Amino acid sequence: MSNSLKQAYDLTFDCVQCGYCLPACPTYETMESETHSPRGRINLVKMVAEGKAAVQDLEEPMEKCLGCMACTSVCPTNVQYGEILENAKEVLDESKPSGRLESFLFEDFFPSKTWMNRLGDATWLFQQTGADRITNRLPWNLPLHLEAFADIMPSMPSPVKRKRRAERYIRRRPAVKKVGFFTGCIMDSVFFESNESTIELLLRSGAEVVLPKSQTCCGALHAHSGKKNKAIELAKENIAAFEEEAFDYIVENAGGCGAQMIEYPSLFEKGSRWHARAVEFSNRVKDISEVLVEIDGLVFSKPIEQTITYQPSCHMTYVQKVVEPPLALLEKVPGIRLQELERPGFCCGSAGVYNLVQHEDSMDILDVKMQDVCQTGADQVVTSNPGCLLQMKLGIKREGMDSEAVHLVDLLMQADPAPRSLR
Ligand code: SF4
Ligand code: SF4
């Protein structure tokens, strides 16, 4: 038995088969089968380890798991489902050779700032030429259903603006906090303007903001696809990048990246030097909402007379356990009528690249989420993760709603935030 399978197998014994997790699991709800429930997946891992099922039998149920971790929030015996899932993915990854496209995506594309900038620049060109308006009228589908996303992409900044961004910002001396900003891959290529808003909010709060040059992808996609060695390599690069200066916090604005980074210690052997460095790193990782609430340096003067609902990122809720700070910030904005979702903890179906590689299943899950969103009558749907943001934009388009989906930081910028001490 491989090491990964042994680790997953040992953890399956914590499951007492109670089934409390079933109503929390989006794939159990939409696919209506035990195989696509947390309990069913755990059983399957046990059966593979005991030789009662083949490794290939794991493939479909594990690939269709969102990795949302809603099941862990209701489990009475605290089953470490995340570790079971990642080890099972590793077993699957070891059992088949990587294709060329997969190798390119995981080895070259996602870890590379150059490729991310190229993606942003290519999308800008695509938008400038108007090609984004005709892709969904083409008689054929683009790979990975990309035509569904073409006309919901935000407006891209020009390559010149992207290049002009500084690596260090300070307005108030002495700064109230010194933060290292983790810019992310998709956030920095597709949602560059939201990263600009994040920097601006921190500056107006009185913080010094530094963007360490050698930071890289957080490694979440790699870890969740069974590519643990690459995830470790990326974690080491980020830990070293943010050790270059003494930051009070390492701030991120993407729930998925934040969750991965606070879990860096689990990638290293306890007692090792890297484990200690990872603990020190992860203790300083904070979502932007936590830092803005803690500094409390902004006053919002422009009322937003709208109904707003907040779609929390699963990784922020169940892994980072950051629930209140985004809501606390929204409550500070005058005029907002905050309408909470009936089931905020139900995944939107984005889940990394799930909405690309499991598109139909993702859309079934999105349809359930959108029933809830529609009932709020929201003018703006606010979220804190690039995947959720794209998925909400897609859901709004599918439902024909007259609403917008925005990142929390962009909503806050609409309310004209000013430094508290200057008012
Ligand atoms: S991680 Fe989400 S989709 Fe996967 S089993 Fe748990 S609740 Fe279901
Ligand atoms: S709630 Fe926990 S113990 Fe119960 S079936 Fe689900 S994973 Fe197993």
Side-chain angles (χ1 to χ4, degrees):
M1 194 187 302
S2 73
N3 206 19
S4 317
L5 188 54
K6 171 87 173 65
Q7 282 182 26
Y9 181 58
D10 289 346
L11 293 170
T12 61
F13 289 94
D14 293 333
C15 175
V16 294
Q17 305 288 303
C18 64
Y20 286 178
C21 53
L22 303 190
C25 176
T27 58
Y28 181 69
E29 182 166 330
T30 55
M31 298 176 195
E32 297 177 332
S33 80
E34 177 74 14
T35 327
H36 296 106
S37 75
R39 183 175 65 185
R41 291 177 173 119
I42 292 166
N43 262 338
L44 202 50
V45 168
K46 196 179 262 182
M47 287 169 72
V48 169
E50 290 172 354
K52 296 173 185 156
V55 169
Q56 286 66 33
D57 296 330
L58 280 175
E59 189 163 348
E60 205 246 11
M62 289 304 177
E63 295 302 334
K64 287 193 186 288
C65 171
L66 295 152
C68 67
M69 300 301 134
C71 47
T72 60
S73 70
V74 290
C75 177
T77 60
N78 196 24
V79 172
Q80 299 300 300
Y81 180 77
E83 275 192 54
I84 296 175
L85 176 65
E86 286 193 3
N87 280 304
K89 289 273 185 87
E90 229 179 306
V91 172
L92 283 166
D93 191 60
E94 285 159 4
S95 73
K96 53 181 184 191
S98 296
R100 268 205 190 150
L101 177 63
E102 192 184 345
S103 297
F104 167 70
L105 283 175
F106 287 107
E107 294 293 326
D108 301 313
F109 189 73
F110 275 106
S112 161
K113 284 278 160 202
T114 310
W115 273 109
M116 285 297 121
N117 286 337
R118 280 182 196 157
L119 172 66
D121 293 348
T123 314
W124 173 79
L125 190 64
F126 190 63
Q127 291 175 337
Q128 293 299 308
T129 56
D132 56 322
R133 293 191 291 277
I134 58 162
T135 41
N136 55 8
R137 296 203 296 271
L138 293 173
W140 61 84
N141 284 344
L142 295 174
L144 297 171
H145 303 272
L146 288 173
E147 72 282 350
F149 298 88
D151 60 357
I152 56 163
M153 296 295 259
S155 284
M156 294 291 151
S158 70
V160 176
K161 184 172 181 191
R162 198 180 282 281
K163 273 206 187 90
R164 250 194 232 135
R165 186 172 65 189
E167 284 163 23
R168 184 176 298 273
Y169 299 81
I170 186 162
R171 263 181 222 156
R172 185 192 295 180
R173 290 179 197 275
V176 293
K177 296 281 176 198
K178 182 173 180 180
V179 307
F181 178 33
F182 179 81
T183 53
C185 300
I186 300 298
M187 279 308 296
D188 216 32
S189 57
V190 177
F191 295 105
F192 184 86
E193 297 296 350
S194 302
N195 274 358
E196 295 283 274
S197 299
T198 303
I199 294 169
E200 191 57 37
L201 288 167
L202 288 166
L203 283 173
R204 291 188 196 185
S205 297
E208 177 181 1
V209 187
V210 181
L211 285 59
K213 209 176 168 137
S214 50
Q215 63 178 297
T216 185
C217 170
C218 67
L221 284 180
H222 305 80
H224 302 155
S225 305
K227 301 185 185 309
K228 192 172 176 183
N229 289 340
K230 189 68 188 176
I232 290 173
E233 193 185 304
L234 295 170
K236 285 182 174 177
E237 282 181 49
N238 279 324
I239 292 167
F242 284 88
E243 281 174 343
E244 283 170 15
E245 296 190 39
F247 297 122
D248 295 305
Y249 299 125
I250 297 162
V251 175
E252 45 72 28
N253 58 8
C257 303
Q260 174 65 12
M261 293 195 295
I262 67 163
E263 295 214 312
Y264 275 178
S266 70
L267 294 171
F268 302 100
E269 202 182 321
K270 275 192 183 145
S272 68
R273 179 77 193 112
W274 272 110
H275 184 267
R277 288 170 73 177
V279 168
E280 211 278 322
F281 175 94
S282 68
N283 285 343
R284 286 180 298 145
V285 171
K286 299 269 180 217
D287 182 75
I288 176 68
S289 60
E290 293 179 279
V291 174
L292 293 179
V293 166
E294 190 196 307
I295 296 177
D296 193 21
L298 296 172
V299 174
F300 300 94
S301 60
K302 188 171 162 193
I304 299 178
E305 303 286 353
Q306 288 185 338
T307 301
I308 304 284
T309 196
Y310 176 65
Q311 154 59 25
S313 134
C314 295
H315 283 106
M316 222 164 121
T317 304
Y318 300 122
V319 184
Q320 284 182 281
K321 309 217 186 297
V322 177
V323 176
E324 289 303 322
L327 296 170
L329 288 168
L330 290 172
E331 276 164 6
K332 282 177 193 270
V333 177
I336 282 185
R337 297 179 296 277
L338 192 58
Q339 189 67 46
E340 288 199 38
L341 291 167
E342 184 103 12
R343 296 169 73 192
F346 188 89
C347 181
C348 65
S350 161
V353 290
Y354 192 95
N355 55 359
L356 298 177
V357 295
Q358 308 289 347
H359 189 70
E360 280 78 23
D361 295 313
S362 166
M363 293 304 105
D364 290 345
I365 293 162
L366 176 60
D367 289 345
V368 177
K369 170 58 78 178
M370 291 313 293
Q371 283 175 18
D372 198 355
V373 173
C374 287
Q375 277 181 4
T376 65
D379 299 298
Q380 298 200 66
V381 183
V382 177
T383 186
S384 300
N385 188 54
C388 308
L389 188 46
L390 276 181
Q391 190 81 339
M392 285 297 100
K393 284 175 182 284
L394 190 56
I396 286 169
K397 183 176 98 169
R398 283 164 67 88
E399 296 293 330
M401 285 174 76
D402 186 18
S403 314
E404 294 284 334
V406 290
H407 194 289
L408 174 69
V409 292
D410 296 317
L411 189 284
L412 295 177
M413 285 302 291
Q414 291 173 24
D416 192 17
R420 181 176 290 286
S421 57
L422 300 184
R423 293 245 167 184

